[in-house]
Amino acid sequence: MSARDEVLARVRRAKGPREVAPVPREYRAAGTRGPGDLDLFAERLRDYRARVRLVAADGVADAVAAALADRGARHVVTAPGVPPEWTATWAASGSAASSDAGVGTGPGAGRGAASTAGPGAEAAPEAARGPDPSDPAGRIESRVPLGGDAREALRDIVEAADAVVTACHVAVAETGTIVLDHDAADQGPRALTLVPDYHLVVVRAEQVVAGVPDAVAALAGARTQTWISGPSATSDIELERVEGVHGPRTLEVVIVTPDLTEIV
């Protein structure tokens, strides 16, 4: 008998032949609490100092334009799969102002690692656009590292951006958390949402679930994720809150609901 076996045998003898107490397994499970509460989701977001806009389905473009205008953004980068119409109103409103500079590629230009739009935008070099979405879910393989000139070009794009616009995979009403799937084309590579100082996320009502178990279930198969609860912040040093440490200092969320009157 080894020393380990001897020690364990003594422990068992000391504990005696008592039965193991049952462990409660009544955890919250996915799908047991109904749909996500949009009022609660918006409230939690505001608790985190995120900005919130509630809009009807046909109001996304105007809401995005208003948000970017309020921000004063001039160089916006979007995830490659973001619908071009989301930024169309803003890009159109800024095209006249940018015409003197001779720049601006329009909304949703290009598909791949990143797209740029609006005043101050420059076309992403072909090498930086990365692999095209290739499956019906619109996923891109963001874990494939971009190398050489492509990597440098992507870095230059995100560093020059005032703001980034993406969709999300799922959102949690109870915690006010937004989860990105970085292999999805409309959410883009992780660097895209960490480097710009302002992140605008469009969340559809049906993407809001009640709790974390529901979100975990919805994320089955999503490999590269970022869970976002408000702007990037830390209070590590003397409990003084500092924002923008690991990501954007400002998070703004456009919640798209089919019936706006229910939550206004």
Side-chain angles (χ1 to χ4, degrees):
M1 176 180 292
S2 67
R4 177 178 179 277
D5 292 338
E6 183 177 354
V7 169
L8 292 177
R10 290 181 180 178
V11 171
R12 293 190 186 98
R13 287 196 297 272
K15 292 180 63 177
R18 290 179 296 180
E19 295 183 0
V20 177
V23 177
R25 301 292 184 185
E26 297 176 356
Y27 306 132
R28 290 178 178 176
T32 60
R33 303 171 60 198
D37 185 326
L38 295 187
D39 273 337
L40 179 62
F41 178 55
E43 179 182 341
R44 292 287 187 268
L45 287 169
R46 294 187 179 105
D47 286 344
Y48 290 128
R49 303 183 187 178
R51 300 173 183 172
V52 181
R53 296 173 189 258
L54 297 166
V55 300
D58 59 357
V60 175
D62 288 343
V64 169
L68 294 176
D70 290 348
R71 177 69 180 181
R74 293 188 54 80
H75 192 165
V76 176
V77 61
T78 70
V82 163
E85 56 269 24
W86 284 5
T87 52
T89 301
W90 174 78
S93 67
S95 59
S98 67
S99 60
D100 291 344
V103 294
T105 59
R111 293 180 66 82
S115 300
T116 55
E122 297 177 355
E126 187 67 29
R129 294 179 181 174
D132 287 336
S134 58
D135 69 26
R139 292 176 182 275
I140 58 174
E141 180 52 86
S142 66
R143 293 191 305 176
V144 175
L146 297 172
D149 293 341
R151 188 182 187 89
E152 293 299 317
L154 177 60
R155 188 188 67 181
D156 291 344
I157 289 171
V158 296
E159 286 184 349
D162 298 315
V164 57
V165 179
T166 73
C168 77
H169 185 93
V170 67
V172 185
E174 188 174 52
T175 62
T177 302
I178 293 167
V179 188
L180 305 181
D181 170 8
H182 294 291
D183 290 324
D186 59 0
Q187 291 147 72
R190 177 168 282 160
L192 196 64
T193 58
L194 292 180
V195 178
D197 203 34
Y198 173 85
H199 186 187
L200 177 60
V201 188
V202 177
V203 180
R204 301 191 307 274
E206 62 270 24
Q207 293 177 308
V208 180
V209 298
V212 171
D214 305 286
V216 172
L219 285 162
R223 295 168 296 180
T224 313
Q225 308 169 16
T226 297
W227 291 57
I228 302 169
S229 296
S232 168
T234 181
S235 299
D236 287 347
I237 301 176
E238 298 183 352
L239 299 180
E240 292 287 339
R241 180 181 171 95
V242 178
E243 297 182 343
V245 177
H246 309 296
R249 275 182 290 192
T250 304
L251 174 68
E252 184 150 2
V253 182
V254 174
I255 303 174
V256 185
T257 174
D259 190 351
L260 190 60
T261 58
E262 289 185 357
I263 56 176
V264 171

